[in-house]
Amino acid sequence: MTTAWQQLLEEAKELVSHTECEGCHLRPVCNVCYAAAHCEKTITGSMDYLCQMAKAKERIITNYPPRNTLKTEDCETEYRPAND
């Protein structure tokens, strides 16, 4: 197992990073893997929509209210267990 893991790590170092992703501030919220980015760029010639999804995710996270600001009275429905 250790040998396989070491081999994987060594081979991963050889992957070419996409210049579009280098230094991008969206990396913490972007869930696009190397393979998806490579396929998208190879097939369509652009990764633009993947970047647009990351930007949208950042906007949602940035604008979402903190967890402790929602109150039970703000909810439209009352929670009821499925057995009721």
Side-chain angles (χ1 to χ4, degrees):
M1 174 79 172
T2 303
T3 304
W5 184 251
Q6 289 171 339
Q7 183 180 355
L8 177 67
L9 291 175
E10 288 303 313
E11 290 182 20
K13 290 177 185 176
E14 295 178 25
L15 291 174
V16 178
S17 65
H18 297 284
T19 55
E20 294 90 337
C21 300
E22 290 178 3
C24 180
H25 76 281
L26 297 172
R27 293 299 300 153
V29 297
C30 181
N31 61 347
V32 176
C33 70
Y34 174 86
H38 176 75
C39 288
E40 201 59 38
K41 189 171 182 179
T42 300
I43 294 169
T44 68
S46 173
M47 299 184 330
D48 187 55
Y49 96 91
L50 298 173
C51 297
Q52 294 301 322
M53 288 192 321
K55 290 174 185 175
K57 187 175 179 182
E58 180 188 43
R59 280 193 304 274
I60 290 168
I61 291 169
T62 302
N63 296 322
Y64 195 79
R67 294 176 192 237
N68 60 359
T69 62
L70 295 176
K71 300 178 181 87
T72 306
E73 56 269 14
D74 294 335
C75 297
E76 294 179 12
T77 59
E78 183 179 329
Y79 169 76
R80 283 177 241 154
N83 296 338
D84 286 354

